[in-house]
Amino acid sequence: MNHPTPAPQRRCGPWATAFGSSTALVQAEEALRRQAVERRDLAPIVRFASVYGSGPDAATHARGFGIDPENPYAADGSANYIDANFTDGGLVYGIYRPVQGLAAEGTGPGNGQELANTTLYPYPFVRVDPTTVPLSELGLDITGIDRRFVHFCAGPLGVEAADDIAMLRQTFPTAWPDYRNVVDTGLRHVFRERPLSVRQWYDLTYIPFDTDDQLALYIAQVITYLFGDNDRIPVAPGR
């Protein structure tokens, strides 16, 4: 019998972020949950400005800091930490899953009450914007794949949520059939054709793989975990 593999004790992305208030959190959750239902997407991603606007108070709705992606080191060689800027290209990510009790042969969640929230978080500048990057740039412009697969990679397989995949698996069979097909098609395409380099994968997910083979093995484990009978939780590299 396979036993779940424990997740790494420490995993972190380039940014440490938080919402600025409980009100800001609620605003984000409402916007993301609505988007999830309307677009049949368990990993909706929206522009920070679409939730909070672009006025002078927008920046107060989130806070964070991290190592400057453009200038990671100061003159003395130390890490160059900066405050996160959410108002210039920032995003808000949501990770959802169907609630317990939906019919596996049904049509998926029909409203926001049939979705459980796994996590949501704001992020500032990202190297690859999952909401706008052309599918062709990632080698994903094939029949059966749409924007939702890019969101799935950046969200549920991204650095902030990859360790929560067990929560998704419990009710994933009751997600929208077309959504499951998009994820299945996308994962199998990435595994077989290897359109994404490890650098592109990192820029999208902030999870570092050393080789294309290592990434392919991880994707294979995700496929068998979500769509097969593998009970062993896929574990991406820590950082």
Coordinates of all heavy atoms in Angstrom, one line a residue, residues 10-17 63-70 72 79-86 93 121-128 154 158-160 199 201-208 239:
R10 N 9.8 23.1 4.4 CA 9.9 24.5 4.1 C 9.8 24.7 2.6 O 10.5 24.2 1.9 CB 11.2 25.1 4.7 CG 11.4 26.6 4.4 CD 12.6 27.1 5.0 NE 12.8 28.6 4.7 CZ 13.5 29.0 3.6 NH1 13.9 28.1 2.7 NH2 13.6 30.3 3.4
R11 N 8.9 25.5 2.2 CA 8.8 25.9 0.8 C 8.3 27.4 0.8 O 7.4 27.8 1.4 CB 7.7 25.1 0.0 CG 7.7 25.3 -1.5 CD 6.5 24.7 -2.1 NE 6.4 23.3 -1.8 CZ 7.0 22.4 -2.5 NH1 7.9 22.7 -3.4 NH2 6.8 21.1 -2.2
C12 N 9.0 28.2 0.0 CA 8.6 29.6 -0.1 C 8.9 30.1 -1.5 O 9.8 29.7 -2.2 CB 9.4 30.4 1.0 SG 11.2 30.4 0.7
G13 N 8.1 31.1 -1.9 CA 8.3 31.8 -3.1 C 9.1 33.0 -2.9 O 9.7 33.3 -1.8
P14 N 9.3 33.8 -4.0 CA 10.1 35.0 -3.9 C 9.5 36.1 -3.1 O 10.2 37.1 -2.7 CB 10.3 35.4 -5.3 CG 9.1 34.9 -6.0 CD 8.8 33.6 -5.3
W15 N 8.2 36.0 -2.8 CA 7.5 37.1 -2.1 C 6.7 36.6 -0.9 O 6.1 35.5 -0.9 CB 6.5 37.8 -3.0 CG 7.0 38.4 -4.2 CD1 7.1 37.9 -5.5 CD2 7.7 39.7 -4.3 NE1 7.7 38.8 -6.3 CE2 8.1 39.9 -5.6 CE3 8.0 40.7 -3.3 CZ2 8.8 41.0 -6.0 CZ3 8.7 41.8 -3.7 CH2 9.1 42.0 -5.1
A16 N 6.8 37.3 0.2 CA 5.9 37.0 1.4 C 4.9 38.1 1.4 O 5.2 39.3 1.5 CB 6.8 37.1 2.6
T17 N 3.6 37.7 1.2 CA 2.5 38.7 1.1 C 1.4 38.4 2.0 O 1.2 37.3 2.5 CB 2.0 38.6 -0.4 OG1 1.3 37.4 -0.7 CG2 3.1 38.8 -1.4
R63 N 0.1 43.8 1.4 CA 1.5 44.2 1.8 C 2.4 43.0 1.5 O 1.9 41.8 1.5 CB 1.5 44.6 3.2 CG 1.1 43.5 4.2 CD 1.1 44.0 5.7 NE 0.9 42.9 6.6 CZ -0.3 42.4 6.9 NH1 -1.4 43.0 6.4 NH2 -0.5 41.4 7.8
G64 N 3.6 43.2 1.4 CA 4.5 42.1 1.1 C 6.0 42.6 0.9 O 6.2 43.8 0.7
F65 N 6.9 41.7 1.0 CA 8.3 42.1 0.7 C 8.9 40.8 0.1 O 8.5 39.7 0.2 CB 9.0 42.6 1.9 CG 9.3 41.5 2.9 CD1 10.6 40.9 2.9 CD2 8.4 41.0 3.8 CE1 10.9 39.9 3.8 CE2 8.7 40.0 4.7 CZ 9.9 39.4 4.7
G66 N 10.0 41.1 -0.6 CA 10.8 40.0 -1.2 C 12.1 40.5 -1.8 O 12.4 41.6 -1.7
I67 N 12.8 39.6 -2.4 CA 14.1 39.9 -3.0 C 13.8 40.5 -4.4 O 13.0 39.9 -5.2 CB 15.0 38.7 -3.1 CG1 15.3 38.2 -1.7 CG2 16.3 39.1 -3.9 CD1 16.2 36.9 -1.7
D68 N 14.3 41.6 -4.7 CA 14.1 42.3 -6.0 C 14.4 41.4 -7.1 O 15.6 41.0 -7.3 CB 14.9 43.6 -6.1 CG 14.6 44.4 -7.3 OD1 13.9 44.0 -8.2 OD2 15.0 45.6 -7.3
P69 N 13.4 41.0 -8.0 CA 13.7 40.1 -9.1 C 14.6 40.7 -10.1 O 15.3 39.9 -10.8 CB 12.3 39.8 -9.6 CG 11.5 40.9 -9.3 CD 12.0 41.4 -7.9
E70 N 14.7 42.0 -10.2 CA 15.5 42.6 -11.2 C 16.9 42.9 -10.7 O 17.9 42.8 -11.5 CB 14.9 44.0 -11.7 CG 13.5 43.8 -12.3 CD 13.5 42.9 -13.4 OE1 14.4 42.9 -14.3 OE2 12.6 42.0 -13.5
P72 N 18.7 41.3 -7.5 CA 18.6 40.5 -6.3 C 19.7 40.8 -5.3 O 19.5 40.4 -4.1 CB 18.7 39.1 -6.9 CG 19.3 39.2 -8.2 CD 18.9 40.5 -8.7
A79 N 21.3 40.2 0.2 CA 20.0 40.1 -0.6 C 19.4 41.5 -0.6 O 19.4 42.2 0.4 CB 19.1 39.1 0.1
N80 N 18.9 41.9 -1.7 CA 18.3 43.2 -1.9 C 16.8 43.1 -1.7 O 16.0 42.9 -2.7 CB 18.6 43.8 -3.3 CG 18.1 45.2 -3.4 OD1 18.0 45.9 -2.5 ND2 17.9 45.6 -4.7
Y81 N 16.3 43.2 -0.5 CA 14.9 43.1 -0.2 C 14.2 44.5 -0.5 O 14.7 45.5 -0.2 CB 14.7 42.8 1.3 CG 15.0 41.3 1.6 CD1 16.2 41.0 2.2 CD2 14.1 40.3 1.4 CE1 16.5 39.7 2.5 CE2 14.4 39.0 1.7 CZ 15.6 38.7 2.2 OH 15.9 37.4 2.5
I82 N 13.0 44.3 -1.1 CA 12.2 45.5 -1.4 C 10.7 45.2 -1.0 O 10.3 44.1 -0.8 CB 12.2 45.8 -2.9 CG1 11.7 44.7 -3.7 CG2 13.6 46.2 -3.3 CD1 11.5 45.0 -5.2
D83 N 10.0 46.3 -0.8 CA 8.5 46.1 -0.5 C 7.8 45.8 -1.8 O 8.2 46.3 -2.9 CB 8.0 47.5 0.0 CG 8.4 47.7 1.4 OD1 8.7 46.7 2.2 OD2 8.6 48.9 1.8
A84 N 6.8 45.0 -1.8 CA 6.1 44.6 -2.9 C 5.2 45.7 -3.5 O 4.6 46.5 -2.7 CB 5.2 43.4 -2.6
N85 N 5.1 45.8 -4.8 CA 4.3 46.8 -5.4 C 3.1 46.1 -6.1 O 3.3 45.4 -7.2 CB 5.1 47.6 -6.4 CG 4.2 48.6 -7.2 OD1 3.1 48.8 -6.9 ND2 4.8 49.3 -8.2
F86 N 1.9 46.1 -5.6 CA 0.8 45.4 -6.1 C 0.0 46.2 -7.2 O -0.7 45.7 -7.9 CB -0.1 45.0 -5.0 CG 0.5 44.1 -4.0 CD1 1.0 44.6 -2.8 CD2 0.5 42.7 -4.2 CE1 1.6 43.7 -1.9 CE2 1.1 41.8 -3.3 CZ 1.6 42.3 -2.2
Y93 N -4.5 35.6 -6.6 CA -4.8 34.2 -7.0 C -5.8 33.5 -6.0 O -5.8 33.8 -4.8 CB -3.5 33.4 -6.8 CG -2.4 33.7 -7.8 CD1 -1.7 35.0 -7.8 CD2 -1.9 32.8 -8.7 CE1 -0.7 35.2 -8.7 CE2 -0.8 33.0 -9.6 CZ -0.3 34.3 -9.6 OH 0.8 34.6 -10.4
Y121 N -4.3 34.6 -2.3 CA -3.1 35.4 -2.0 C -2.9 36.4 -3.1 O -3.1 36.2 -4.2 CB -1.9 34.5 -1.7 CG -1.5 33.6 -2.9 CD1 -0.7 34.0 -3.9 CD2 -2.1 32.3 -2.9 CE1 -0.4 33.1 -4.9 CE2 -1.8 31.4 -3.9 CZ -1.0 31.8 -4.9 OH -0.7 31.0 -6.0
P122 N -2.3 37.6 -2.6 CA -1.9 38.6 -3.6 C -0.5 38.4 -4.0 O 0.3 37.9 -3.2 CB -2.1 39.9 -2.9 CG -1.8 39.5 -1.4 CD -2.2 38.1 -1.3
Y123 N -0.1 38.7 -5.2 CA 1.3 38.6 -5.7 C 1.6 39.9 -6.5 O 0.7 40.3 -7.3 CB 1.5 37.4 -6.5 CG 2.5 36.4 -5.9 CD1 2.4 36.0 -4.6 CD2 3.6 36.0 -6.6 CE1 3.3 35.1 -4.0 CE2 4.5 35.1 -6.0 CZ 4.4 34.7 -4.7 OH 5.3 33.8 -4.1
P124 N 2.8 40.4 -6.3 CA 3.1 41.6 -7.1 C 3.6 41.1 -8.5 O 3.1 40.1 -9.1 CB 4.3 42.2 -6.3 CG 4.9 41.0 -5.6 CD 3.8 40.1 -5.4
F125 N 4.6 41.8 -9.1 CA 5.1 41.5 -10.4 C 5.5 40.0 -10.5 O 6.0 39.4 -9.6 CB 6.4 42.3 -10.6 CG 7.3 41.9 -11.8 CD1 7.0 42.3 -13.1 CD2 8.3 41.0 -11.5 CE1 7.8 41.9 -14.1 CE2 9.1 40.6 -12.6 CZ 8.8 41.0 -13.9
V126 N 5.1 39.4 -11.6 CA 5.4 38.0 -11.9 C 6.2 37.9 -13.2 O 5.9 38.7 -14.1 CB 4.2 37.1 -11.9 CG1 3.6 36.9 -10.5 CG2 3.1 37.6 -12.9
R127 N 7.1 37.0 -13.3 CA 7.9 36.9 -14.5 C 7.1 36.5 -15.7 O 7.3 37.0 -16.8 CB 9.0 35.9 -14.3 CG 10.1 36.3 -13.3 CD 11.2 35.3 -13.1 NE 12.2 35.7 -12.1 CZ 13.2 36.4 -12.4 NH1 13.4 36.9 -13.7 NH2 14.1 36.7 -11.5
V128 N 6.2 35.5 -15.5 CA 5.2 35.1 -16.6 C 3.8 35.4 -16.1 O 3.4 34.7 -15.1 CB 5.4 33.7 -17.0 CG1 4.3 33.2 -18.0 CG2 6.8 33.5 -17.7
A154 N 0.0 27.7 -12.6 CA 0.5 28.8 -11.8 C -0.1 28.8 -10.4 O 0.5 29.2 -9.4 CB 0.1 30.2 -12.4
G158 N 1.6 25.8 -8.3 CA 2.6 26.9 -8.0 C 3.1 26.8 -6.6 O 2.6 26.0 -5.7
V159 N 4.1 27.6 -6.3 CA 4.8 27.5 -5.0 C 3.9 27.7 -3.8 O 4.2 27.2 -2.7 CB 6.0 28.5 -5.0 CG1 5.5 30.0 -4.9 CG2 7.0 28.2 -3.9
E160 N 2.9 28.5 -3.9 CA 2.1 28.8 -2.7 C 1.0 27.7 -2.4 O 0.4 27.7 -1.4 CB 1.4 30.1 -2.9 CG 2.3 31.3 -3.1 CD 3.1 31.7 -1.9 OE1 2.8 31.2 -0.8 OE2 4.2 32.3 -2.0
R199 N 13.1 26.6 -16.9 CA 13.1 28.0 -16.6 C 11.7 28.6 -16.8 O 11.3 29.4 -16.0 CB 14.1 28.7 -17.6 CG 14.2 30.3 -17.4 CD 14.7 30.6 -16.0 NE 14.3 31.9 -15.6 CZ 14.8 32.5 -14.5 NH1 15.7 31.9 -13.8 NH2 14.4 33.7 -14.2
W201 N 8.9 27.0 -16.5 CA 8.1 26.5 -15.4 C 8.4 27.3 -14.1 O 7.4 27.6 -13.4 CB 8.4 25.0 -15.2 CG 7.5 24.4 -14.2 CD1 7.7 24.2 -12.8 CD2 6.2 23.9 -14.4 NE1 6.6 23.6 -12.2 CE2 5.7 23.4 -13.2 CE3 5.4 23.8 -15.6 CZ2 4.4 22.8 -13.1 CZ3 4.1 23.2 -15.4 CH2 3.6 22.8 -14.2
Y202 N 9.6 27.6 -13.9 CA 9.9 28.4 -12.7 C 9.3 29.8 -12.8 O 8.7 30.3 -11.8 CB 11.4 28.5 -12.5 CG 11.8 29.4 -11.3 CD1 11.7 28.9 -10.0 CD2 12.1 30.8 -11.5 CE1 12.0 29.7 -8.9 CE2 12.4 31.6 -10.4 CZ 12.3 31.1 -9.1 OH 12.6 31.9 -8.0
D203 N 9.4 30.4 -13.9 CA 8.9 31.8 -14.1 C 7.3 31.8 -14.0 O 6.8 32.8 -13.6 CB 9.2 32.3 -15.5 CG 10.7 32.7 -15.6 OD1 11.4 32.8 -14.6 OD2 11.2 32.9 -16.7
L204 N 6.7 30.6 -14.2 CA 5.2 30.5 -14.1 C 4.8 30.1 -12.7 O 3.8 30.6 -12.2 CB 4.7 29.5 -15.1 CG 3.2 29.4 -15.2 CD1 2.5 30.7 -15.6 CD2 2.9 28.2 -16.2
T205 N 5.6 29.3 -12.0 CA 5.2 28.7 -10.8 C 6.1 29.0 -9.6 O 5.7 28.8 -8.4 CB 5.2 27.1 -10.9 OG1 6.6 26.7 -11.0 CG2 4.4 26.6 -12.1
Y206 N 7.3 29.5 -9.8 CA 8.3 29.7 -8.8 C 8.7 28.5 -8.1 O 9.2 28.5 -6.9 CB 7.9 30.8 -7.8 CG 7.8 32.2 -8.4 CD1 6.7 32.9 -8.5 CD2 9.0 32.8 -8.9 CE1 6.6 34.2 -9.1 CE2 9.0 34.0 -9.5 CZ 7.8 34.7 -9.6 OH 7.8 36.0 -10.1
I207 N 8.6 27.3 -8.7 CA 9.2 26.1 -8.2 C 10.3 25.6 -9.1 O 10.1 25.5 -10.3 CB 8.1 25.0 -8.1 CG1 7.0 25.4 -7.1 CG2 8.7 23.6 -7.8 CD1 6.0 24.3 -6.8
P208 N 11.5 25.4 -8.5 CA 12.7 25.1 -9.3 C 12.9 23.6 -9.6 O 12.9 22.8 -8.6 CB 13.8 25.7 -8.5 CG 13.3 25.5 -7.1 CD 11.8 25.7 -7.1
R239 N 12.6 24.8 -1.6 CA 13.5 25.9 -2.0 C 14.1 26.5 -0.7 O 13.4 26.6 0.3 CB 12.7 27.0 -2.7 CG 13.6 28.2 -3.1 CD 12.8 29.2 -4.0 NE 13.6 30.3 -4.3 CZ 14.5 30.4 -5.3 NH1 14.6 29.3 -6.1 NH2 15.2 31.5 -5.5

